[in-house]
Amino acid sequence: MVDAANVEEFQDWVDECEEWYEVESTKWQRILTCCRLVALFASLAALVAAAASDVDVLRGHLKWVLVSTTFLSAFSTEILSKLNVREMEDLREEGRIEAARLARYTRQKLAQFAGDDQNIYAVQDEVRTSLYELDKHQHRRDVRIKTPGKTSR
């Protein structure tokens, strides 16, 4: 017989998986946004510095402003490229969506089959298998993304 503590513990485990994907997705979204903003602002600052090259006050520091902004732009672009930030953000967002779907499905099915041990065991097995497949898929794509010369799909 399935006890309520077992069902609650299982749901907590599924919720923890969902939370992990949420945190990872948010992390990669923030990295992507930060790198894009740094590149944008660095480019804009270089543009303003170049346009202001006639102003005597800026002339002495202009060279370093241009060098710094160009470096920041190049650096953030390199981070985006080398870390495959866009691909990682997409991968983790796909995982987050699927984990959220599985968490909702689990809550619904466990409530629907309350007291029906056979169906609860079947749902638990189905969800375990789905989370295993999700993790396996995420790992394989993660390895492909991080392996130079391979495509992420």
Side-chain angles (χ1 to χ4, degrees), residues 39-51 62 65-66 69:
L40 175 67
F41 288 124
S43 297
L44 289 174
L47 181 66
V48 168
L62 183 60
V65 170
L66 288 171
T69 56

Side-chain angles (χ1 to χ4, degrees), residues 75-106:
F75 182 71
S76 65
T77 302
E78 186 68 12
I79 288 174
L80 285 170
S81 172
K82 291 292 183 194
L83 295 180
N84 296 304
V85 174
R86 182 72 194 144
E87 291 86 354
M88 286 302 296
E89 189 273 333
D90 283 343
L91 177 64
R92 293 304 185 233
E93 182 63 10
E94 288 173 14
R96 184 200 63 77
I97 292 168
E98 180 61 14
R101 185 195 70 76
L102 284 169
R104 283 190 311 274
Y105 175 82
T106 303

Side-chain angles (χ1 to χ4, degrees), residues 43-61:
S43 297
L44 289 174
L47 181 66
V48 168
S53 63
D54 292 338
V55 178
D56 288 336
V57 175
L58 292 178
R59 239 185 223 149
H61 302 291

Side-chain angles (χ1 to χ4, degrees), residues 109-142:
K109 290 300 182 182
L110 292 178
Q112 177 183 346
F113 296 132
D116 184 348
D117 292 353
Q118 186 175 4
N119 279 323
I120 287 176
Y121 288 134
V123 167
Q124 288 176 330
D125 286 343
E126 177 187 359
V127 171
R128 276 189 202 99
T129 300
S130 295
L131 282 171
Y132 169 76
E133 290 299 322
L134 173 62
D135 288 344
K136 188 167 69 170
H137 171 76
Q138 289 274 313
H139 174 72
R140 284 181 181 157
R141 285 221 16 231
D142 181 63

